[in-house]
Amino acid sequence: MVEDKLTIGIMGGTFDPIHNGHLLTAECAAYQYNLDKVIFLPSGNPPHKTEQKITSAENRYTMTVLATINNPKFRVSRLEIDRTGLSYTIDTVKEFKKIYPQAEIYFITGADAILEIFTWKNPEELLKEANFIAASRPGYSLSKLGQEIYAAYRNSIYTLKIPSLAISSTDIRQRVKAGQPIKYQLPKEIESYINKYNLYVEE
Ligand code: ATP
Ligand code: MG
């Protein structure tokens, strides 16, 4: 029965750290598209980013678990952080399809990430394999999608207007480093975790 088909959202990100913009995006997507669950997928430690100091996958994973603990629909996957080598979204989609063969899969991204989709590996195959939910994000225009990308892939990209939160992990890291407040931009448990383990104090 089509009605009983499991619908799963996958919310990928670096989550360095996870913040209210990520949580709001996932919640709005789950409501709007009737998702049974949203799986947060912290990225692995990308080998090409060795120059840049990136918080360990374990710390990013733990913060993601803490931030999602109170939402019964939210889950966290270790799939990418446990994988060695480069992580490509197309491989991730295929793995999730193996785990949930009957499910309809929706990748949830912000406007900035979806606009980069054609720089990802095998974008055409990716758009055939999964649906995408592209959420509005301050500073990025979703209407650009209406031109080439959206026109060609109308059937697999859904746009989603969410209340604007101009929050980013980059800004949070800079604020911590500068000793500025981050309260109300992310769950208080994450703020405690950042303080306890001295994250983002030095670059
Ligand atoms: P960074 O500044 O380190 O890139 P970020 O805040 O962009 O961090 P990511 O982990 O890169 O966070 O983003 C994961 C996903 O969440 C991406 O698809 C991104 O577009 C989306 N996203 C992040 N912040 C917001 C926001 N404030 N509103 C809507 N979508 C967001
Ligand atoms: Mg980002």
Side-chain angles (χ1 to χ4, degrees), residues 30 44 51 58 62 87 104 109 114 116 146 150 159-160 181 183 201:
E51 293 297 298
E58 286 307 331
T62 305
S87 274
E104 183 81 10
T109 74
I114 197 80
E116 286 178 0
Y150 187 57
T159 53
L160 174 69
K183 208 183 266 305
V201 180

Side-chain angles (χ1 to χ4, degrees), residues 86-106:
L86 280 172
S87 274
Y88 292 111
T89 306
I90 185 67
D91 303 329
T92 302
V93 170
K94 285 179 178 165
E95 293 212 32
F96 273 108
K97 286 199 140 179
K98 256 188 250 160
I99 304 170
Y100 303 103
Q102 305 300 336
E104 183 81 10
I105 293 183
Y106 291 82

Side-chain angles (χ1 to χ4, degrees), residues 2-109:
V2 177
E3 296 81 50
D4 290 331
K5 200 170 187 182
L6 194 67
T7 54
I8 296 177
I10 297 173
M11 176 86 201
T14 317
F15 304 132
D16 191 16
I18 188 163
H19 55 68
N20 290 345
H22 300 128
L23 297 165
L24 180 73
T25 302
E27 176 66 12
C28 291
Y31 175 74
Q32 186 74 30
Y33 290 96
N34 245 318
L35 306 177
D36 295 301
K37 51 180 155 181
V38 176
I39 302 174
F40 285 71
L41 183 70
S43 62
N45 282 333
H48 61 281
K49 269 197 187 169
T50 44
E51 293 297 298
Q52 192 184 323
K53 197 182 163 211
I54 157 161
T55 309
S56 76
E58 286 307 331
N59 272 332
R60 293 182 291 107
Y61 171 78
T62 305
M63 288 191 279
T64 308
V65 171
L66 281 173
T68 53
I69 201 95
N70 292 321
N71 192 317
K73 282 195 171 184
F74 290 178
R75 298 282 187 282
V76 187
S77 168
R78 294 185 62 93
L79 193 107
E80 286 199 346
I81 64 171
D82 286 342
R83 188 195 279 156
T84 51
L86 280 172
S87 274
Y88 292 111
T89 306
I90 185 67
D91 303 329
T92 302
V93 170
K94 285 179 178 165
E95 293 212 32
F96 273 108
K97 286 199 140 179
K98 256 188 250 160
I99 304 170
Y100 303 103
Q102 305 300 336
E104 183 81 10
I105 293 183
Y106 291 82
F107 254 86
I108 306 166
T109 74

